[in-house]
Amino acid sequence: MRVIYSEDHKLRDARTELHAGQLVTPFEAPFRAEWILAAVKQAGFTDVVAPDAHGLETARKVHDPAYLDFLATVWDRWVAAGFTGEAIANSFAVRRTSQRVPDNIVGAIGHYANAADTSITKGSYEAAIASMRCAITGADWLNAGNRFAFALCRPPGHHAGIDLFGGYCFINNSGVAAQRLLDHGARKVAVLDVDFHHGNGTQDLFYHRGDVFTASLHGDPMQAFPYFLGHADEEGEGEGTGANRNYPMPPGTPWDVWSSALADALTRIKAFGAEAIVVALGVDTFERDPISFFSLTSDDFTRMGAMIASAGLPVLACMEGGYGVPEIGLNVANVLKGLEA
Ligand code: SP5
Ligand code: ZN
């Protein structure tokens, strides 16, 4: 198991998250990656390397290049406008509105935002690039013929759509990794999203494509973020018809129910003909996660890794969510143990 980690994740250290009507300290904070790295090393996964210095070529195949330009410049534009707080969208391009990108920075940030939970700060872009590089470097470890890699991505990526940020995500690391695998010989790949939240960004990236199967197990969007995608009847369109599968589940969902959905997803991934699996690995399905409502235990994460490995395909896990509690490190390490068991 190769682990890819960059210290540059620390460049994203926001002070504010709009939560429950207040600006609180963000759930998605640097301690997460530090705790996960420590636990993974402690568990014996000591092959930890820094990512290679990849540019945006692969990201441009899954994201709108104008959106990537926006991410690169939004902080400087925000500061130039004279604003002193962190950059938070407060006006949105919703139903029946123009999709022109406003020149004004407040308009532009609203155009590109799918949620106001994610404040943009100085250094957020640089951290997002480092996170993406971890995912690409992990994909290349598989491209070189290896079976397992863990990209300790931070910030996470699965809520980032073609031209949307939010849900603590800017660049869709798992999606970029899937594209990298395709660009280096794989004909078909799968993104298996086990984060508590629906992978709305990843679904957006590949919804019309037949070369990437996307599956997401998550809290029912009727009850949980990201609210507006993730229903069971979203199956893909055009060439992507049948290549998206959603498994929304209710509050309190335990391992026996959750794992039945995982088994179904793995069967479909095999039937699709995927040659590798990118796991969008959130551990916010844990019973004590502060913002989620499933009931998985730490031992269940070992079972999860073993089930995913039983598909017999190369696996790249990219870190997504998992918050607040010390067990996030143990739970990630348990998935890696299960994969290699
Ligand atoms: C990567 C990832 O896990 N992103 C999640 C972003 C969620 N942001 C909005 C959080 C809303 C939480 N509301 C739950 C209240 C629990 N009492
Ligand atoms: Zn999540």
Side-chain angles (χ1 to χ4, degrees), residues 23-203:
L23 291 177
V24 304
T25 302
F27 292 96
E28 204 296 289
F31 75 86
R32 298 180 57 249
E34 300 310 301
W35 288 7
I36 292 165
L37 179 66
V40 160
K41 283 186 182 167
Q42 166 102 35
F45 300 101
T46 53
D47 178 20
V48 182
V49 303
D52 302 320
H54 296 286
L56 288 168
E57 315 76 50
T58 313
R60 284 196 196 98
K61 297 182 178 182
V62 292
H63 287 292
D64 173 7
Y67 167 69
L68 295 170
D69 291 345
F70 161 79
L71 287 181
T73 56
V74 52
W75 177 250
D76 288 342
R77 293 173 64 191
W78 186 261
V79 171
F83 303 138
T84 52
E86 295 183 338
I88 306 177
N90 64 1
S91 302
F92 298 90
V94 296
R95 292 179 293 280
R96 296 180 299 284
T97 61
S98 160
Q99 296 301 310
R100 278 186 290 263
V101 186
D103 295 328
N104 180 283
I105 185 58
V106 178
I109 193 173
H111 173 87
Y112 287 121
N114 63 22
D117 61 351
T118 306
S119 305
I120 295 181
T121 61
K122 177 175 170 63
S124 291
Y125 176 71
E126 289 73 15
I129 292 292
S131 189
M132 174 199 75
R133 287 173 171 167
C134 289
I136 296 174
T137 304
D140 282 347
W141 183 247
L142 267 51
N143 287 331
N146 300 288
R147 175 99 198 266
F148 297 116
F150 172 49
L152 212 177
C153 299
R154 180 182 174 270
H158 75 145
H159 297 305
I162 293 171
D163 54 0
L164 290 163
F165 77 95
Y168 320 148
C169 302
F170 304 96
I171 296 175
N172 196 309
N173 306 307
S174 305
V176 173
Q179 183 66 51
R180 183 79 178 182
L181 293 170
L182 293 170
D183 290 347
H184 285 75
R187 281 172 296 123
K188 290 179 168 187
V189 300
V191 181
L192 170 62
D193 193 321
V194 300
D195 185 281
F196 169 79
H197 303 94
H198 175 240
N200 56 336
T202 318
Q203 176 170 313

